[in-house]
Amino acid sequence: MKTKMHKAGVSLLIILLTQVWTLSAFAQDGNAVKHRTAVEGDTVWVVVNHVKPEKREQFERFVYDIFWPAAKKLDPKAQRAFDNTRILNPAVAEADGTFTYVFLMDPLISGEDYWIDSLLGKMFPEKEAEEYYRLFRDALARDGEHYAFVQSRYWGGPSKK
């Protein structure tokens, strides 16, 4: 009996350690949440970009291969803007054929720079920054939209307190 309980205890311990290790690995993953989300009274920005269907790959290459990795060139304080920004990719095309990408600054950090042209100027030499900004602008079907919100006291369902 004692051996069965010991084996069950060891098995349970192995399962728990495996789960802790898995959660620890997830927490260190680059996709894990590294910031807090907005709390009541925080400002949240939503920026909507409408991308031409034939330029979708160009837009994603700019954002994911050029712009986002270059944030490492910024000082740690400026990198906070990236840490608190999420990008939502479109699931389907809009009725007009464009693809809508959403940048969600949650929360917006007061005093930080969020403007792509300005940030490119801090990341690259002037000519290169201008070239990358043209690449970004060329992918857009029209000007983006910017919305500012203030987080209400309601977040999540009734079980959150």
Side-chain angles (χ1 to χ4, degrees):
M1 182 73 160
K2 190 173 182 179
T3 304
K4 281 187 178 182
M5 287 178 63
H6 178 72
K7 284 183 181 179
V10 170
S11 296
L12 180 60
L13 180 61
I14 291 171
I15 291 169
L16 288 173
L17 288 174
T18 302
Q19 289 182 347
V20 167
W21 178 79
T22 303
L23 289 172
S24 173
F26 175 76
Q28 294 174 15
D29 183 319
N31 292 324
V33 175
K34 295 180 182 177
H35 69 279
R36 69 171 180 87
T37 55
V39 296
E40 184 178 357
D42 282 346
T43 299
V44 175
W45 269 6
V46 177
V47 177
V48 179
N49 289 295
H50 307 280
V51 175
K52 299 171 189 171
E54 70 277 8
K55 299 288 185 170
R56 186 174 184 189
E57 187 176 316
Q58 174 180 314
F59 181 82
E60 289 188 7
R61 187 169 30 88
F62 166 77
V63 172
Y64 300 122
D65 297 338
I66 298 167
F67 185 62
W68 225 257
K72 293 176 184 167
K73 297 178 180 183
L74 300 171
D75 65 62
K77 186 175 180 255
Q79 289 179 24
R80 292 185 324 156
F82 284 83
D83 290 343
N84 285 20
T85 300
R86 299 194 310 269
I87 302 171
L88 305 178
N89 291 341
V92 297
E94 300 297 331
D96 65 359
T98 62
F99 288 89
T100 302
Y101 291 79
V102 174
F103 288 69
L104 183 64
M105 291 72 163
D106 178 21
L108 181 80
I109 300 171
S110 181
E112 292 298 327
D113 186 359
Y114 287 89
W115 303 106
I116 290 177
D117 55 343
S118 174
L119 289 166
L120 286 170
K122 295 173 185 175
M123 298 169 174
F124 300 101
E126 184 179 354
K127 294 278 187 204
E128 194 175 358
E130 289 172 0
E131 181 182 318
Y132 286 141
Y133 191 63
R134 273 194 298 278
L135 188 70
F136 166 72
R137 294 287 305 164
D138 180 56
L140 300 179
R142 57 188 172 275
D143 285 340
E145 298 140 28
H146 301 81
Y147 303 95
F149 298 94
V150 175
Q151 177 64 50
S152 72
R153 67 184 179 124
Y154 295 102
W155 191 93
S159 65
K160 284 197 169 188
K161 299 204 184 231

